[in-house]
Amino acid sequence: MAAFEPKNPNYHAAATALFAGQPAMRTLGISIVRLAPGEVELAMPHTSAFTQQNGFIHAGIITAGLDNACGVAAFTLMQREADILTVEFKTSLLAPARGERFVFKAEVVKPGRTLTFCEAKAFAEHSGKTTLIAAMTGTLMAMLPRG
């Protein structure tokens, strides 16, 4: 991946605050593991409360982790005064979401002034093995103050 230069020199603190301001991520137990310009890695422990009828983590939960990873990765490259909003994503579910821990890695493919395109992957960790379980592409919008 190409190295990106953040527009906000305080991107790390801003992205961490953005993430911390999301009650949904706290509810899901998702946390930031690694953060760099245009990249993020999030993690979530297995919780039976988020399983579907076959005992796998529900696809909606996996998608939420991927979407948030894309958003945080994109946000690290946005202007200081920007906020962020997802405008589109596509998720491919590649394997059942079973594991002890789930990791969501996202990176910016193409940053833009208004729209940023990202790719993300979700992995399940189980018995010392890591399995790719889902992939996402997403487009995120920088919401800039008007006026």
Side-chain angles (χ1 to χ4, degrees):
M1 185 188 116
F4 293 112
E5 188 68 33
K7 293 176 184 171
N8 179 355
N10 296 320
Y11 80 89
H12 195 282
T16 301
L18 173 87
F19 185 84
Q22 299 181 55
M25 294 299 103
R26 283 192 302 279
T27 298
L28 297 175
I30 296 177
S31 60
I32 295 175
V33 174
R34 189 180 62 78
L35 184 63
E39 301 177 50
V40 71
E41 181 176 327
L42 307 177
M44 177 186 84
H46 178 274
T47 303
S48 62
F50 301 137
T51 58
Q52 44 83 292
Q53 71 277 6
N54 302 113
F56 309 133
I57 297 296
H58 193 282
I61 303 298
I62 298 301
T63 300
L66 288 166
D67 174 43
N68 202 272
C70 285
V72 174
F75 188 74
T76 65
L77 300 179
M78 293 184 179
Q79 299 174 33
R80 179 185 324 242
E81 60 277 2
D83 201 347
I84 189 161
L85 188 65
T86 300
V87 295
E88 176 273 337
F89 63 70
K90 181 200 183 299
T91 304
S92 295
L93 304 168
L94 307 171
R98 63 174 149 234
E100 293 131 16
R101 182 174 181 258
F102 300 88
V103 176
F104 309 96
K105 296 180 181 182
E107 61 183 38
V108 171
V109 174
K110 170 118 180 27
R113 185 176 110 56
T114 304
L115 297 177
T116 297
F117 185 78
C118 295
E119 293 179 341
K121 293 180 179 175
F123 300 88
E125 297 175 349
H126 183 69
S127 300
K129 292 183 181 180
T130 300
T131 303
L132 175 64
I133 59 169
M136 173 181 279
T137 57
T139 306
L140 299 106
M141 180 177 75
M143 295 186 349
L144 299 169
R146 295 179 187 236

